[in-house]
Amino acid sequence: MLTELLDFLGSLHPLIVHLPIGIVLLTIAIDVFMRNKNNSVHRVITLGWFFSFLSGLLAALFGWFLGDNGYYLASQISIHKWSGIAFVGVCFIIWMLRFVNFRFTQTFNRFVNFTIILLLTITGHFGGEMTHGQNYLFENL
């Protein structure tokens, strides 16, 4: 019974994985485009990083269940899994720093945003290759 439940939760990974993508991109957009960042905006950004971490953790957990059921080769999963774990870890660190009111310099903030988008791109690319096959994006060009 537990195996069937974990298989079911694993099959939800492709659905759940879109939550952290949308939340983190919205959080970064608010951070980049809001000019007057008062206390309320800082709280929204902090909450955005928290929900990016939480939904990313849920997606990673469901992905772990999906990867353990034998549908994919270990060589396919490796980069996707570790870049996803790095994404969740960086989201957690950013949330904690913002939660304790660590003030980011503009350069550090840009670096953090770029790093998260890079991790998101790498994770999504390798996940898409596992799901849709290699060269999925470019085969119709």
Side-chain angles (χ1 to χ4, degrees):
M1 167 121 171
L2 181 62
T3 305
E4 289 86 11
L5 177 63
L6 295 181
D7 284 345
F8 171 72
L9 293 176
S11 68
L12 293 177
H13 174 71
L15 173 70
I16 299 296
V17 78
H18 292 90
L19 285 173
I21 295 168
I23 294 170
V24 79
L25 290 177
L26 181 63
T27 301
I28 290 172
I30 291 169
D31 192 18
V32 169
F33 294 115
M34 290 295 290
R35 295 288 177 219
N36 298 326
K37 291 184 184 143
N38 58 24
N39 244 359
S40 296
V41 174
H42 282 291
R43 280 191 231 131
V44 166
I45 292 169
T46 301
L47 271 175
W49 284 110
F50 171 71
F51 285 117
S52 296
F53 157 68
L54 190 64
S55 61
L57 184 64
L58 189 64
L61 183 64
F62 285 14
W64 201 287
F65 297 154
L66 182 62
D68 276 351
N69 64 14
Y71 293 139
Y72 302 101
L73 299 172
S75 61
Q76 290 177 309
I77 293 175
S78 185
I79 295 174
H80 177 67
K81 175 175 68 174
W82 289 110
S83 60
I85 290 170
F87 172 83
V88 172
V90 172
C91 284
F92 176 76
I93 292 168
I94 296 168
W95 167 61
M96 287 304 298
L97 289 173
R98 290 204 176 264
F99 183 75
V100 298
N101 289 326
F102 180 82
R103 295 293 175 198
F104 288 31
T105 65
Q106 188 174 9
T107 304
F108 184 71
N109 201 36
R110 286 179 180 163
F111 173 75
V112 163
N113 290 342
F114 176 77
T115 301
I116 280 294
I117 290 173
L118 183 65
L119 282 170
L120 196 61
T121 302
I122 291 168
T123 306
H125 171 71
F126 285 100
E129 274 195 352
M130 284 191 309
T131 306
H132 303 294
Q134 288 186 329
N135 294 326
Y136 172 74
L137 287 176
F138 302 112
E139 69 186 15
N140 292 321
L141 283 179

